[in-house]
Amino acid sequence: MTDDQVTAPVDVDRQLHEVRRGVTIGAHEAGAAAVPTIVELSEVYATTVEDLWDACTTGERLPRWFAPVTGELRLGGRFQVEGNAGGVVEECEPPHSFRVTWEFGGAVTWVDVALEAVGDDAARLTLRHSGDTPAEMWDQFGPGAVGVGWDLAFLGMASHLTGHNLPPEATQWEQSDEAKRFMREAAAAWGRAAVEGGSPEQAALAAAERTTAFYLGEGPGAAG
């Protein structure tokens, strides 16, 4: 089986549709060095709040859908996501919510996760990533810079909860045509969310195109 024949463990079209995305752009003066932003994702999963909490906070389960996380996963503890950000657990109210700092590249932002029951057999996961985004980065990529990465994590959660853990499947799938389409369409969705949040349409959609190029390794400064 070649890379472009590898399929995701879940229906990516359904996944793109199921995630709700929102962007809040805080007040800032023209020419400001940073833009206050909140990027929000929400999805309902067919599991309990307790199981979803366990998947989000247990070191043994995190690598199955997100990434290996080391450190102390408790209130006040410091953690490190392999190959990504580290931070401190600032708030923790099991099994409903937690708040962590997200420290990467010398910048500090915040990630808030909230869980709530939806009926008797489903639970909603809502993630908010907030902080001051450097104006140059916001102008270049908009919310998709972090949004597409979280979209991939939500896809990983959906896969995990249906019994398909990402490693080693993820490494192969991420190079597939299906994965590229997922990232392209997720970036476009973040462009639309930015417009709804108040960004000028032309600038937001152009930033979404640059986000796509970044994630697909096709543009200046792109990964890979």
Side-chain angles (χ1 to χ4, degrees):
M1 180 178 288
T2 60
D3 284 349
D4 61 1
Q5 293 173 313
V6 177
T7 57
V10 298
D11 183 333
V12 297
D13 290 309
R14 183 178 186 277
Q15 179 64 22
L16 286 162
H17 175 74
E18 289 297 315
V19 175
R20 298 290 177 264
R21 302 169 185 83
V23 177
T24 302
I25 305 168
H28 62 284
E29 297 181 1
V35 180
T37 59
I38 301 174
V39 171
E40 180 175 313
L41 304 88
S42 176
E43 183 173 1
V44 175
Y45 296 100
T47 191
T48 64
V49 166
E50 289 75 16
D51 182 55
L52 198 53
W53 175 266
D54 190 68
C56 289
T57 60
T58 303
E60 290 77 11
R61 291 183 69 178
L62 282 164
R64 302 176 193 173
W65 66 273
F66 180 53
V69 180
T70 56
E72 298 179 296
L73 303 181
R74 59 170 180 78
L75 184 62
R78 174 164 285 278
F79 68 91
Q80 177 65 50
V81 180
E82 184 176 288
N84 205 312
V88 175
V89 182
E90 292 190 333
E91 299 176 13
C92 185
E93 297 183 8
H96 299 294
S97 65
F98 64 84
R99 176 180 175 89
V100 299
T101 61
W102 194 257
E103 304 170 20
F104 185 78
V108 180
T109 52
W110 286 264
V111 172
D112 291 87
V113 172
L115 310 178
E116 61 177 331
V118 179
D120 296 327
D121 55 1
R124 185 187 308 276
L125 167 62
T126 300
L127 182 147
R128 296 180 182 88
H129 194 154
S130 61
D132 288 340
T133 303
E136 182 178 359
M137 181 178 178
W138 178 261
D139 291 342
Q140 185 173 8
F141 297 114
V146 297
V148 173
W150 288 122
D151 255 299
L152 287 165
F154 274 52
L155 172 69
M157 178 67 83
S159 301
H160 171 56
L161 293 176
T162 56
H164 299 87
N165 299 327
L166 289 186
E169 298 94 334
T171 302
Q172 192 176 20
W173 179 75
E174 287 174 0
Q175 304 306 314
S176 70
D177 289 342
E178 185 181 44
K180 293 176 182 178
R181 182 171 66 84
F182 178 84
M183 288 184 276
R184 182 177 294 108
E185 295 191 16
W190 283 110
R192 294 190 295 271
V195 173
E196 292 175 1
S199 287
E201 182 173 10
Q202 185 175 357
L205 298 184
E209 288 293 331
R210 289 189 289 270
T211 296
T212 297
F214 174 84
Y215 274 93
L216 300 189
E218 299 173 349

